[in-house]
């Protein structure tokens, strides 16, 4: 078991939700976090919320694999936290 703390960009939010934070060389920021949009139809249900600064942000290629892995973790969390379908 590793005792190394998670990198800053992998900190959870105040509710314990896994997040990914990134600041590019220009100072532009990205936040990705689990989300759930209630309702029926397109665009509802579990998902991933993205927020960037006005100019948007970029992730360098050397960080891309880590970003994709964290998105998978966030998506798994969102699915697990989503309300369960009633059993028939």
């Amino acid at each position: 078991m590793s005792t190394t703390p998670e990198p800053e960009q992998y900190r959870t939010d105040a509710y314990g939700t896994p997040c990914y934070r990134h600041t590019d060389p220009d100072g532009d920021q990205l936040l990705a976090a689990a989300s759930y949009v209630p309702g029926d139809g397109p665009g509802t249900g579990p998902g991933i919320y993205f927020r960037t600064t006005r100019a948007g942000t970029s992730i360098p290629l050397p960080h891309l694999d880590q970003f994709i892995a964290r998105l998978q973790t966030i998506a798994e969390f969102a699915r697990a936290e989503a309300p369960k379908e009633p059993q028939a």
Side-chain angles (χ1 to χ4, degrees):
M1 185 168 161
S2 174
T3 58
T4 305
E6 282 193 314
E8 179 80 13
Q9 70 263 26
Y10 293 160
R11 282 186 322 186
T12 58
D13 65 13
Y15 304 103
T17 304
C19 299
Y20 182 88
R21 292 171 179 81
H22 175 74
T23 303
D24 71 13
D26 296 333
D28 298 319
Q29 297 177 329
L30 165 74
L31 169 68
S35 71
Y36 181 79
V37 178
D40 296 318
T44 62
I48 298 176
Y49 168 76
F50 291 95
R51 183 170 184 167
T52 66
T53 52
R54 185 179 282 282
T57 190
S58 59
I59 297 176
L61 286 176
H63 297 251
L64 201 53
D65 289 341
Q66 297 162 333
F67 175 62
I68 292 168
R70 190 58 171 181
L71 288 178
Q72 184 64 40
T73 300
I74 293 168
E76 290 168 3
F77 183 89
R79 284 186 196 105
E81 292 296 308
K84 305 300 181 235
E85 295 294 321
Q87 299 296 319

